[in-house]
Amino acid sequence: MVTLDLRHVASPAVRDLLHLVNHPDFNRAQQQIEHVGGCTEPVRLTGHTTTVDTTTGEVLRSYASSDEPTGSLLTACGNRRSSRCPACSRLYAADTYHLIRAGLSGGKTVPDTVCTHPRVFATLTAPSFGPVHNRPDARPCRCGTRHEPADPLLGTPLNPATYDYAGAVLFNAHAGALWARFTTYLRRELATRLGLTQKAARAVLRVSFAKVAEYQKRGLVHFHAVIRLDGPDGSTQPPPPYATVRVLSDAIRAAAPRVRITLVSDAVGERELGWGQQLDVREIAAFGTDAELTDQAVAAYVAKYATKSADASGTLDRALYCRPCQGRGATLLPHGTPLPCTACDGTGQARPLPRLAVARHVRQMIRTCWELGKLAEFADLKLWKWAHMLGFRGHFSTKSRSYSTTLGALRETRHIWRTEQAHAHASLPEPDPTTTLVVGHWDYLGTGYSPGAALLAAHVRHRKELERQFTAEGGC
């Protein structure tokens, strides 16, 4: 039974909701919304699928979206940003938690013995591009003010006119490359400390990691990483006994300062990019110990920042460029003739920057992305495309191949479980994959709900949030 307070809802939404509730197959419409967990912007598909027995040619079952009350099939958007879709972001966070936790304590195809491998939690930060307001609830800032934690001035430049915005944007754009070079130097430092050549070191140990990017208040990314030493075959083998946590920690502290990327540009001059001086490396303790930094705490911490709302860091959660022309100002027709873009101003800018609801410091970083993105020497960085992320164009969470399971594997396991539950609920036999063939055709119809269905989805999200809070508080 769905109970909604409709007194303060716009009349078009009310009429649409009443139309949906009075539909003969309303239960199926509600079931679809429940299935996607109240996703904010579900993908609507139209098409059909047929399951055929390959030995007899018999059609075992068929499905068509035209039979649905809304004429389409809903699938979850899968967006990791909590500002875009709280329901899907929580699922993404849960998957990330299990991925990180499996690489620390075992499970999900990773043996339990992995908890005995040397592992640390490292944080690599960005360098300074100019003094900023800082020190919340501590001694006074350089400006002479003692800032509150929620003060919007925190992280903004003391003198915006002298702040190196170009350097800040270019650092974000090269953060992924800096991490790649860091892993290379880390392996070299490990080999040096173990008295081995790099080839010999690769034969006895492997560096596995999982990392997540987080925005600082000043709009620069830094990386939190779980770094682990394994045997040459990965998590199934321990490293040699002389490859200890101390060796790993010392190698990280030596490798980070060595990382440098030099840029030569007529527009911004010669720049040397590298990590900041603040480097934190701490050993990860086993779960159940008195240590604060346990494998469970680290997994929860990484999962939190994998889905952290983009608006909480001052960035935007949507691209600013015009998708049809992708910043070129024109759409190329199949025969190569340019068609002027009608959705932007010719530069790919979808809307004027002054209208963006962001802080002045963030707006200036976005403007710098647009200005640098017009230069041919920075064309490969596609700064116009990643202006909403202040130039950062890497993945928010990545891992090495042998760290643990993958997000794709976790999603496939969940899909199989849901399919089995659906067949059991409908009292249908599970099809034999060796003798059945599934043939289907699907087309993209759009995203989002009708106004009435959006009210139902909001109710589902609210109920699931209450259930989650009740469970977290120890409810049963």
Side-chain angles (χ1 to χ4, degrees):
M1 180 66 181
V2 178
T3 303
L4 294 173
D5 184 3
L6 304 178
R7 291 175 298 176
H8 305 293
V9 182
S11 57
V14 174
R15 288 195 298 268
D16 184 68
L17 178 60
L18 293 176
H19 174 76
L20 186 62
V21 170
N22 291 321
H23 194 281
D25 205 5
F26 166 71
N27 289 337
R28 172 56 187 166
Q30 187 178 14
Q31 184 183 9
Q32 277 214 67
I33 297 175
E34 291 276 356
H35 180 73
V36 297
C39 172
T40 305
E41 295 182 355
V43 178
R44 302 196 310 274
L45 301 175
T46 179
H48 59 85
T49 181
T50 304
T51 303
V52 181
D53 190 326
T54 57
T55 59
T56 64
E58 177 187 2
V59 176
L60 300 179
R61 68 176 67 102
S62 62
Y63 169 83
S65 60
S66 58
D67 297 332
E68 296 289 351
T70 58
S72 62
L73 176 67
L74 297 181
T75 60
C77 68
N79 200 302
R80 65 157 191 87
R81 294 179 173 89
S82 58
S83 58
R84 291 283 296 276
C85 183
C88 291
S89 70
R90 280 195 294 269
L91 192 60
Y92 187 95
D95 285 347
T96 302
Y97 172 83
H98 288 295
L99 184 151
I100 299 296
R101 181 72 184 273
L104 293 173
S105 56
K108 312 293 183 184
T109 72
V110 180
D112 296 343
T113 54
V114 75
C115 65
T116 63
H117 296 197
R119 64 263 179 92
V120 299
F121 187 58
T123 300
L124 287 81
T125 62
S128 173
F129 295 99
V132 298
H133 295 274
N134 56 12
R135 309 187 190 284
D137 285 344
R139 58 185 184 275
C141 176
R142 295 181 183 181
C143 67
T145 304
R146 181 169 296 177
H147 297 287
E148 296 295 328
D151 192 335
L153 283 177
L154 286 174
T156 62
L158 290 174
N159 186 357
T162 60
Y163 190 78
D164 187 7
Y165 279 101
V169 166
L170 291 174
F171 172 84
N172 281 350
H174 289 85
L178 289 170
W179 172 263
R181 295 198 180 190
F182 165 73
T183 59
T184 298
Y185 283 118
L186 175 58
R187 294 181 179 95
R188 292 177 183 176
E189 291 292 340
L190 283 170
T192 300
R193 279 161 173 70
L194 297 178
L196 302 172
T197 63
Q198 294 184 47
K199 182 177 180 180
R202 287 195 298 269
V204 296
L205 63 84
R206 172 179 293 193
V207 177
S208 300
F209 67 85
K211 70 172 178 65
V212 64
E214 179 197 359
Y215 277 90
Q216 296 174 305
K217 289 183 179 295
R218 52 188 177 139
L220 297 171
V221 295
H222 61 197
F223 290 140
H224 302 290
V226 176
I227 305 177
R228 189 186 70 212
L229 291 182
D230 300 326
D233 293 334
S235 60
T236 58
Q237 281 186 320
Y242 48 82
T244 62
V245 170
R246 182 172 182 177
V247 171
L248 175 59
S249 301
D250 291 345
I252 293 174
R253 293 188 177 95
R258 293 184 57 189
V259 179
R260 289 289 183 271
I261 292 180
T262 302
L263 303 177
V264 180
S265 166
D266 294 335
V268 299
E270 182 174 337
R271 299 296 178 96
E272 190 176 65
L273 303 176
W275 300 112
Q277 295 182 355
Q278 294 182 347
L279 174 66
D280 184 35
V281 183
R282 290 184 287 171
E283 180 181 1
I284 301 175
F287 177 66
T289 62
D290 295 333
E292 179 181 354
L293 197 66
T294 63
D295 48 13
Q296 183 179 22
V298 169
Y301 187 78
V302 172
K304 170 186 174 182
Y305 283 106
T307 59
K308 187 177 181 180
S309 177
D311 54 307
S313 59
T315 62
L316 301 172
D317 58 7
R318 296 177 186 268
L320 296 174
Y321 71 96
C322 169
R323 291 189 182 276
C325 75
Q326 297 193 351
R328 295 187 298 269
T331 302
L332 294 180
L333 297 177
H335 48 77
T337 303
L339 178 67
C341 178
T342 59
C344 70
D345 61 2
T347 65
Q349 187 172 331
R351 48 183 171 175
L353 293 181
R355 295 184 182 179
L356 298 178
V358 295
R360 181 180 301 177
H361 173 60
V362 174
R363 186 182 297 112
Q364 183 57 46
M365 290 196 70
I366 293 175
R367 185 177 289 111
T368 304
C369 287
W370 282 104
E371 293 173 354
L372 295 179
K374 296 176 183 178
L375 303 177
E377 52 200 314
F378 297 126
D380 60 323
L381 299 179
K382 298 183 178 180
L383 293 174
W384 48 265
K385 180 179 181 180
W386 300 106
H388 66 297
M389 301 310 295
L390 312 185
F392 178 63
R393 56 199 180 100
H395 293 286
F396 268 79
S397 60
T398 59
K399 73 174 191 67
S400 60
R401 182 174 300 177
S402 62
Y403 176 78
S404 69
T405 185
T406 64
L407 292 176
L410 294 174
R411 291 165 184 157
E412 179 64 21
T413 301
R414 183 165 53 249
H415 172 71
I416 293 174
W417 182 84
R418 286 178 173 175
T419 302
E420 292 175 350
Q421 293 296 310
H423 288 158
H425 181 73
S427 300
L428 295 175
E430 187 69 23
D432 185 354
T434 61
T435 60
T436 57
L437 176 66
V438 179
V439 181
H441 176 77
W442 294 96
D443 292 317
Y444 171 78
L445 189 61
T447 59
Y449 300 100
S450 66
L455 295 178
L456 287 176
H459 170 75
V460 171
R461 288 194 298 270
H462 179 66
R463 192 193 72 240
K464 289 184 175 293
E465 178 63 21
L466 292 178
E467 292 174 352
R468 187 183 67 84
Q469 293 178 1
F470 179 70
T471 303
E473 293 172 358
C476 57

